[in-house]
Amino acid sequence: MEYEVGMFGGSFEPLHIGHIHDMIRAACVCDELHIMISWSKQRDLIPKELRYRWVLNSVKHLPNVQVHLVEDTAATKEEYADMKYWLQGAEDIRRIIGKHIDVVFAGDDYKDTEYFPNCYPDSIIIYYPRKEVPVSSTAIREDVIRQWDYI
C-alpha cells in the first residue's frame, strides 16, 4: 500500500454515500485506515451509537479499516471553530490510534483552512473533491427529500 496508517474523520450526522465513497477510496491506499467518529454530549443530533453502527456496517467488508469514537467537547458549533478544540481532538485521535498517522483524508471544503495542517503537521493531508459525490450532511439536514439519493 501507499501509506501505512491513515485517518478519516467526521461527525457523520448523517452518514451519506459521499462519506462512504471517500472511506473506500482512502482504505485502498492504506495498510490501516482509522475512521474517527466525532461525538458531542452538547451538540449531537443523532446518537453516536447509531452513527457508529452506520459506519461500521458500511466498511465491515474492508479488513484494513477500524472505526473509533472520539469526543468533541465544544459546547456549540461556533465554539468548535476555535483551533484549541481541533488541536485537542487531534491529540485524542493520536492517542486512540497509538501510531504515527502518515496520511489524513478530508473533504476539499477544508482545503483553505489551517485546521488539518496545524493539527497534523507531520502527516500528508489529502483533500478529496466534494464534487465527486456532491452532497454534505448539512445539505441533507436542510432538505432530506432533495438529497434522498445520497443517503
Side-chain angles (χ1 to χ4, degrees), residues 18 21-22 25 108 127-135 150:
H21 173 269
D22 291 348
R25 189 172 172 191
D108 66 357
Y127 298 98
Y128 287 143
R130 189 68 50 94
K131 67 181 178 185
E132 289 180 359
V133 183
V135 66
Y150 295 110

Side-chain angles (χ1 to χ4, degrees), residues 9-123:
S11 62
F12 310 110
E13 278 198 291
L15 178 69
H16 55 70
I17 63 171
H19 292 132
I20 296 167
H21 173 269
D22 291 348
M23 289 174 194
I24 293 169
R25 189 172 172 191
C28 288
V29 296
C30 295
D31 291 332
E32 296 177 28
L33 177 65
H34 295 267
I35 298 174
M36 308 304 296
I37 302 170
S38 177
W39 66 276
S40 168
K41 290 177 187 171
Q42 296 92 344
R43 299 189 333 268
D44 279 359
L45 303 172
I46 302 168
K48 67 182 182 291
E49 297 83 3
L50 180 57
R51 291 180 286 139
Y52 181 87
R53 287 186 188 131
W54 286 345
V55 172
L56 188 63
N57 283 329
S58 298
V59 298
K60 65 183 176 185
H61 66 288
L62 301 169
N64 61 326
V65 175
Q66 296 177 45
V67 181
H68 311 274
L69 293 167
V70 61
E71 186 176 7
D72 161 14
T73 59
T76 66
K77 194 71 170 170
E78 295 75 27
E79 191 176 283
Y80 180 68
D82 187 319
M83 184 60 75
K84 74 178 182 180
Y85 291 103
W86 281 79
L87 291 169
Q88 180 61 55
E91 184 179 315
D92 294 342
I93 287 167
R94 281 192 290 276
R95 181 183 43 76
I96 291 167
I97 293 174
K99 300 176 182 179
H100 177 264
I101 301 168
D102 301 304
V103 61
V104 174
F105 302 93
D108 66 357
D109 47 325
Y110 287 99
K111 193 171 190 173
D112 294 326
T113 72
E114 290 300 315
Y115 293 123
F116 289 103
N118 284 346
C119 292
Y120 303 96
D122 58 345
S123 302

Side-chain angles (χ1 to χ4, degrees), residues 134-136 139-141 143-151:
V135 66
S136 70
I140 292 170
R141 288 191 304 269
D143 190 347
V144 80
I145 300 301
R146 186 178 177 114
Q147 303 297 326
W148 192 258
D149 289 343
Y150 295 110
I151 300 175

